[in-house]
Structures are given as structure tokens and as C-alpha cells.
Amino acid sequence: MAGIKDVARQAGVSVGTVSNVINRPDLVSEQTRARVQAVIERLGYVRSESARQLRAGRSRIVALLVLDMGNPFFVDVARGAERAARQAGLGVMVCNSARSPSEEADYISLFAEQRVRGVLLTPADPTGRTLDALRRNGTPFVLVDRVAAGPAECSVSVDDVNGGMLAAGHLIARGHRSIAFIGGPPELIQVRDRGAGARAALAEAGLPPESLLEISADGMDVAAGRDAGARLLGLAPRPTAVFCANDLLALGVLQAMYAARVGVPDELAIVGYDDIEFAAAAAVPLTSVRQPAAAMGRLAAELLMEETSGADVGHRHRQVVLQPELVVRSSSLAAWPADR
Amino acid sequence: MAGIKDVARQAGVSVGTVSNVINRPDLVSEQTRARVQAVIERLGYVRSESARQLRAGRSRIVALLVLDMGNPFFVDVARGAERAARQAGLGVMVCNSARSPSEEADYISLFAEQRVRGVLLTPADPTGRTLDALRRNGTPFVLVDRVAAGPAECSVSVDDVNGGMLAAGHLIARGHRSIAFIGGPPELIQVRDRGAGARAALAEAGLPPESLLEISADGMDVAAGRDAGARLLGLAPRPTAVFCANDLLALGVLQAMYAARVGVPDELAIVGYDDIEFAAAAAVPLTSVRQPAAAMGRLAAELLMEETSGADVGHRHRQVVLQPELVVRSSSLAAWPADR
DNA sequence: TCCGCCGAATGAGTCGTTTCAAGACCACCA
DNA sequence: TGGTGGTCTTGAAACGACTCATTCGGCGGA
């Protein structure tokens, strides 16, 4: 494979000049530039990124380490981050820790070897060892979908309490007075926050706390939702609406209702959370709370680039909190409450 | 950041010895090794991948360029490829061309700059310019989910004709004698092959060709499926079963049936294709034809590594064709045909 | 003719690692 | 004592591009 020296020799100039043709064309005379360009084309010369990096001391790559590549949410985060990085001439390397602390640690050391510009991540390791490793070797990072522990670190997250308020508020506005909240394992902060938001919405509307019936699912997947839906069906005065902490739970509930021939939304309104791609594809398109995933990715990348840009003036570590958005579809639009 | 020279100085040995401690520990005496290791730990030394690459002339990274990161199929391909590459000590860089030939071309030149070990890709550019670029600069590649044009190239693909046979054969075995096939735009080879498989299954069962009613959707998404489902509902003797070229189409049909209160599977059986993650999460869990996505990724990576391994002995370019698998769920299991 | 200036081109030095021929040291045997 | 073999260690030469102080050549003005 042709190197810069081959180009220089064939064009009859020095390597320095070839380098200038590529990186600072204004320093080179018109005709020299044309001649060198021609040789570059002819030889199919491609510069070696590793040599550039070695010289520059750091790479032009930002790492993005997500919890689950299969989750459309993170795919959107990746898209947002990629776009922002591209505009700044940086590449994004997307990696998947699959919620495994050991894979996460593997990737972190890979990143260190690669001398990446910085890391955007949602940590999988609850002990925080991952972040310590980054801090130790001085790799800049931005937390995604988590709030930073202290003011010396950047993070971008979403306001889950408000998300819960949006969902429950919508159901209340549609006339529902008895609402179930299907949450997953209560140790997940996100689930707790969404429930808290729902309670706040009830209180704000002047409804008694008993109007919200909390059902705890033993997971955050479709099967758990199906189980919870079955339990819901067994209740004597059945709630007229259900708010699920997650779209998968909502899809599970929908399955249970279909099997029991309970009409959605007329006999039971459903609101999910996350607005995953298939929320709109469900048998009854699902009303859901959308997280601004692409914006998170973009902001995270921008914070990182601000921190690592040459212009050292004034990067303040920030903890950005974004607001979710309610996407209304058929599953919460029963005809009757509007009629009353 | 500490370099190998700092380690050497502090440990009182030469850089060569430090390198040996890291890469060929058996050449170094026990006590020297321990001393050097201690210094490495203390200084937090991390070797620079770019310097290694520069020396080695090529990187330890395999690129995977997929059509659509949002598609669970490709996520599985990525997982398979990643696992195989990991075992061989290589990293995988997953990139998303989003079906755009220009983005694809951008990535190809990025890969060239990075001197990647090889590329696994599903080309987005129908003109084949992408592959020419790879051939020109001698980057080894393996086609994924496409059949190679000639015997001088590797590919891993899936037998779509057989997939169509499996789907239609299943419906025939369940007693259906009038089946609709909802295909997407006919210029897609995959769609044509799946339809051809379905026709072959009918012929094999001795049914007349009219038993298969072909409906062409103007897309491969849920909306197109909903439209096709509406058209299906308008038919006078309505088929008792439908085979969709894609799970998204099938979900769209399911939506249309739910809205029209046509029972699935009792009044209409549905079979999809791809077995995407949400096939099982649909209101009626969807029978579907699963593509061995992870196996494709693994095999593609293995073919590439065989080609690029130092052991030059006998890599024959191969075109591997894998077989799909039918996953039966509720959407095709009506009670009645079994009873007859 | 000499000086100074300017744009253009040069080429040596540098980045951090791996590799490899050569050297140092020791033990053993003849 | 000299030779031989073996184990460790060394130091210098790559790898390919970028940078920057230096040089070159030409030109105008004194």
C-alpha cells in the first residue's frame, strides 16, 4: 500500500509538501498542489490514521457505551451522538455493554488503549468502579440517562417524575378517576420516579391517593406485563385506565386484554412509557411518553466536545435534565369520557 | 500520560524488556517481570494502540457496516460477529449506513484510513461502486445477507425461497386452502424469493396456483401492512390465512383486523417473516420465519478471519447459504382446521 | 551589486511501540 | 582454559505522518 513517501517521490516533492497539500493546501502553490493530487489519485494513496494519531497523541473517536443495543432508545441516542460528532469531524464508536459490568470494564480498557477523545456512557456497574477507572486515567466522560454524582461531572438525563405526571395527567383529563400504575422492580429509580409523578398528578387534580392502584410487576418485559394484566382483570371494580412504567409492560397488558376480549381503549385505556418504535405498531397504537433520546445523544456529545476542544476557555461541568413528551395515540382515546 | 519509556526508566530496564513483559512474558525472568509489572500498575501505564498499529501495519479491528441499526436483525448480526471476533482478539466497529450510498462511501473511506482488518457489509449502493472501492484498495470483505457476485468473494446469506416454503407449508398443513401473500415492492429479491417459495409449497401440496392470492404492498412497514389488510378485508371470498413478506407488514395486518374486529387466528391466520423481537410481543404473538442472524454474523466474521489470518494456507472464498427456521406462535394456530 | 523580503518547499526530528540481531552473563563440559 | 549452549537483556531501526525551523529562489528597492 502506497505511503506518503511514495507519493512524494513520484511527484518529485518532499513528504512535507505532500502533507501540506492534504492538510494546509493554501500553503502550496497551485501547480504543485495539482501535481501532487494527481499522484495521490493515481496511487490510491490513503493516509494512515494510526500514524496521525500517534503524532497527535489522541484519536478522533468518541466512544459511546450503551446498556443494550437491542433497545431502540439507545439506537436513537447513538444516532443523535453520531450526528453531532460528525459535524465536528469526529467519529463515534458504538459499543454494547449488555448490562454486564465485566464487558463494560473490557470496553473501558479498550477505550484507554485507543486513546479515545472521550466516553459517553450509561454505566452498567452499580459500584461505580467503571467511572473510577475513567477518572483515574483522565478520560473525559459524560453520563447518559443518569444524573452525575457531583458537580465535577457532566450528565444528560430525562425528568422521569414529569414523565409520570404527563401520563397520569392525560388520563385524568380524559375523565378517568381510577387508574392502575404497573411498575417494575421498585429498586429501579426510573420506575419510582414515574410512579411519584403519577401520584403528584392525582394530588394536583384533587383526587384521593386511592385513585391510583399500584401493581408491581416482576420484570419490565412483555411477559411481566401479561401477568400484571391478568391480575388487573381479576379486580372487582376494575380501573378504567392503566399507566405502565414501560412500553413492553403495556404491550403485555394489551395482549392480556386481547385474549380476554376486553376492548382497548373503550373498556381499558393504556398509556406506556418510552415510545419505542413498536408502540405505534401495536394492534392498538399505544399512547406513550417519549424520551428525547436523539437530543440526549446530541447534547452528551456536545458537552464532551466542549470539554475536550482546544479552546480551553470555560467548560463548566453541567447536569442537563431534559423533558419528556406525551405522544397520544388510540390506546388512551376511549370515546366515552369525552361524551360525559 | 505514561509511556513505555517511563516504565522502562523507573523499572531500570530497557524498553525492549518492557515490551517483552507485555507481549512475550515467557522470555523474561520471573523477577524482572514482577518488577516491571509493579511499575506498570503504579504508573497506570496503558499501551498506545495507534503506535502498535503503526508498527504492525494494520489494525485489530473488523468493521461491520449494516443497513439499519434500528433493525433488530442487524443487531443480532452484530452480536454474532462481535462474539466471534472477540474470541480471536479482534474488535468490531459497528457502523450504520442507513441505506444511504453516500454514508456508506464515507464509512468505506474511514475504514481505509483506519486500515481495518476487513469489512463485513450489506451494501446499500446498488451500483456496486462500494465494493469496487474495497477491491481497489485491497480490503478483504464478506457480504452479509447478500450473495456474492462471483466465486472470488465470500458471502453469507439466507435461503429465502425455503423460508417462503416453510411459511406456506405450515399454513397448508394447518388446513388452509386459500392463502394471501402480502409482498412489498417487487424489486426486492428477498420478497420475490419468499413468494416463489410459497408458490412452490402450494405446487408441492398439489394445490392450484390460484390458491395463492398475491397482494403487493407499497412498502415494508406497518402502514403498508395496514393498507394491505384493509384491501384483504374487502375481498369477497376472503382467504383464511395470510403470509407477509415481513413482520412489520404482518403487524399492520393485525392492526387492521383488530380495528375491524376480525379474530386472529380464528378468522384469519397470519404468518410473518424475520421474527423480530416484537413478533412475540404482538397482541396475538406472531408466527414467523426466523433468520439465523447471529449465525450469519459469526460465520461472516469467521470467513473474514480465515482470509486474513497469518496462516495463509488455503482460504477458499465461499458463498454460504443458511437455512431459516419457522417459529410457531398463536397467530397461525386457529382451532378449527385441526378439528375438521 | 547588495540587502531584505516573501512565498514556497524542504527535511530532520518526533510520536510510542515492536522486532531482532547482538551482547552479556552464567553454567557446564572437555 | 577455552569452548559451547542457554537464558536474559539491550539498543537501534523501523512504522507513517505532522511540524517547524530553515533554506531556496526570485524580485524589488537602495
Side-chain angles (χ1 to χ4, degrees):
Chain A
M1 175 155 245
I4 200 172
K5 277 189 273 199
D6 305 303
V7 175
R9 196 173 329 113
Q10 298 227 9
V13 296
S14 71
V15 292
T17 300
V18 178
S19 176
N20 282 336
V21 167
I22 298 167
N23 302 300
R24 306 140 83 178
D26 48 308
L27 293 188
V28 182
S29 77
E30 175 60 35
Q31 62 167 345
T32 309
R33 179 162 18 123
R35 187 155 36 99
V36 172
Q37 276 294 359
V39 177
I40 287 178
E41 307 280 311
R42 183 155 54 79
L43 265 51
Y45 165 72
V46 181
R47 64 183 171 192
S48 154
E49 184 61 26
S50 41
R52 308 187 69 198
Q53 276 182 34
L54 175 58
R55 189 78 230 284
R58 64 179 182 176
S59 85
R60 312 177 52 70
I61 288 184
V62 173
L64 171 63
L65 185 51
V66 302
L67 285 182
D68 178 8
M69 272 245 276
N71 188 331
F73 170 75
F74 286 112
V75 176
D76 282 347
V77 171
R79 270 198 264 266
E82 207 159 12
R83 191 158 318 149
R86 278 295 188 105
Q87 280 183 341
L90 299 178
V92 176
M93 177 174 185
V94 183
C95 301
N96 183 14
S97 69
R99 297 180 198 280
S100 144
S102 79
E103 292 218 33
E104 180 171 77
D106 283 357
Y107 275 119
I108 296 294
S109 52
L110 179 68
F111 298 158
E113 291 192 353
Q114 302 270 4
R115 302 284 194 275
V116 296
R117 187 72 59 101
V119 181
L120 314 176
L121 81 166
T122 309
D125 187 347
T127 67
R129 234 183 301 255
T130 307
L131 299 186
D132 282 342
L134 287 173
R135 284 186 270 259
R136 208 172 326 120
N137 63 30
T139 308
F141 62 91
V142 176
L143 294 180
V144 175
D145 202 29
R146 293 276 185 279
V147 182
E153 281 157 9
C154 283
S155 65
V156 184
S157 55
V158 177
D159 186 344
D160 279 313
V161 174
N162 190 27
M165 287 186 66
L166 284 174
H170 167 67
L171 290 172
I172 295 168
R174 296 288 303 175
H176 295 278
R177 293 293 173 265
S178 170
I179 301 174
F181 171 63
I182 301 186
E187 61 270 23
L188 294 177
I189 319 165
Q190 277 116 337
V191 172
R192 284 209 306 271
D193 284 354
R194 291 167 197 180
R199 279 191 297 274
L202 290 178
E204 200 170 273
L207 296 175
E210 311 87 72
S211 323
L212 191 77
L213 182 69
E214 304 208 19
I215 300 179
S216 159
D218 54 339
M220 293 283 275
D221 52 16
V222 176
R226 206 164 38 215
D227 288 355
R231 259 179 288 159
L232 192 66
L233 286 168
L235 295 178
R238 193 204 298 155
T240 59
V242 54
F243 166 39
C244 301
N246 169 320
D247 279 346
L248 295 177
L249 289 170
L251 291 174
V253 171
L254 187 60
Q255 252 183 43
M257 296 307 128
Y258 187 89
R261 306 204 179 284
V262 170
V264 174
D266 289 326
E267 296 177 70
L268 184 77
I270 304 181
V271 176
Y273 205 108
D274 284 348
D275 192 34
I276 62 178
E277 197 179 346
F278 287 90
V284 182
L286 206 60
T287 294
S288 191
V289 178
R290 173 184 299 167
Q291 312 219 48
M296 281 182 74
R298 181 173 50 76
L299 277 168
E302 284 171 359
L303 284 173
L304 185 70
M305 293 182 313
E306 183 184 308
E307 184 175 348
T308 62
S309 76
D312 287 319
V313 279
H315 168 78
R316 293 278 302 267
H317 291 286
R318 268 173 288 168
Q319 296 79 44
V320 179
V321 177
L322 300 177
Q323 293 305 324
E325 172 195 7
L326 185 73
V327 179
V328 178
R329 299 200 186 86
S330 327
S331 75
S332 65
L333 295 181
W336 61 265
D339 290 342
R340 282 213 280 201
Chain B
M1 177 154 243
I4 202 174
K5 276 189 273 201
D6 304 303
V7 175
R9 196 171 330 113
Q10 297 227 9
V13 296
S14 72
V15 291
T17 300
V18 178
S19 177
N20 283 336
V21 168
I22 298 168
N23 302 300
R24 305 141 84 178
D26 47 308
L27 294 187
V28 182
S29 76
E30 173 61 35
Q31 64 165 347
T32 308
R33 182 163 15 126
R35 187 156 36 100
V36 172
Q37 274 295 0
V39 177
I40 286 178
E41 308 279 312
R42 185 156 53 80
L43 264 49
Y45 164 73
V46 180
R47 66 182 169 191
S48 154
E49 184 60 26
S50 39
R52 305 188 70 197
Q53 276 182 34
L54 176 58
R55 187 78 231 282
R58 63 180 184 176
S59 84
R60 314 178 51 71
I61 288 185
V62 173
L64 171 63
L65 185 51
V66 301
L67 287 183
D68 179 7
M69 272 245 277
N71 188 332
F73 170 75
F74 286 112
V75 176
D76 282 348
V77 171
R79 270 199 265 266
E82 206 157 13
R83 192 158 318 147
R86 277 296 187 103
Q87 279 182 343
L90 299 178
V92 176
M93 177 172 181
V94 184
C95 301
N96 181 16
S97 69
R99 297 179 197 278
S100 145
S102 78
E103 292 218 33
E104 179 172 77
D106 283 357
Y107 275 118
I108 295 293
S109 52
L110 178 68
F111 298 159
E113 291 192 353
Q114 303 271 3
R115 302 286 194 273
V116 297
R117 186 73 58 103
V119 181
L120 315 176
L121 81 167
T122 308
D125 187 347
T127 68
R129 235 183 299 257
T130 306
L131 299 185
D132 282 341
L134 288 172
R135 283 187 270 257
R136 206 171 327 121
N137 62 32
T139 307
F141 62 91
V142 176
L143 294 181
V144 176
D145 201 28
R146 292 277 185 281
V147 182
E153 282 158 9
C154 284
S155 66
V156 185
S157 55
V158 177
D159 185 346
D160 280 313
V161 175
N162 190 27
M165 287 186 65
L166 284 174
H170 167 67
L171 289 172
I172 294 168
R174 295 289 302 173
H176 296 277
R177 292 296 172 264
S178 169
I179 301 174
F181 171 62
I182 301 186
E187 62 270 22
L188 294 179
I189 319 164
Q190 278 116 339
V191 172
R192 284 210 306 271
D193 284 354
R194 290 167 197 179
R199 279 191 298 274
L202 289 179
E204 200 168 277
L207 297 176
E210 311 88 71
S211 322
L212 192 76
L213 182 68
E214 305 208 20
I215 300 180
S216 158
D218 54 340
M220 293 282 277
D221 51 16
V222 176
R226 205 164 39 213
D227 288 356
R231 259 179 287 159
L232 191 66
L233 286 168
L235 295 177
R238 193 204 299 154
T240 58
V242 55
F243 164 40
C244 301
N246 166 320
D247 279 345
L248 295 177
L249 288 171
L251 290 175
V253 171
L254 187 60
Q255 253 183 41
M257 297 306 128
Y258 187 88
R261 306 205 178 283
V262 170
V264 174
D266 290 325
E267 298 176 71
L268 184 78
I270 303 181
V271 175
Y273 205 105
D274 284 348
D275 193 34
I276 61 178
E277 197 179 345
F278 287 90
V284 183
L286 206 61
T287 294
S288 192
V289 179
R290 174 184 299 168
Q291 313 219 46
M296 282 182 74
R298 181 173 50 75
L299 277 168
E302 284 170 0
L303 283 174
L304 186 70
M305 293 182 315
E306 184 185 307
E307 183 175 347
T308 62
S309 77
D312 287 319
V313 278
H315 167 78
R316 295 277 301 267
H317 291 287
R318 268 172 290 167
Q319 295 80 44
V320 179
V321 177
L322 300 177
Q323 293 306 324
E325 172 195 6
L326 185 73
V327 179
V328 178
R329 299 200 186 84
S330 328
S331 75
S332 65
L333 296 181
W336 61 265
D339 290 341
R340 283 211 281 204

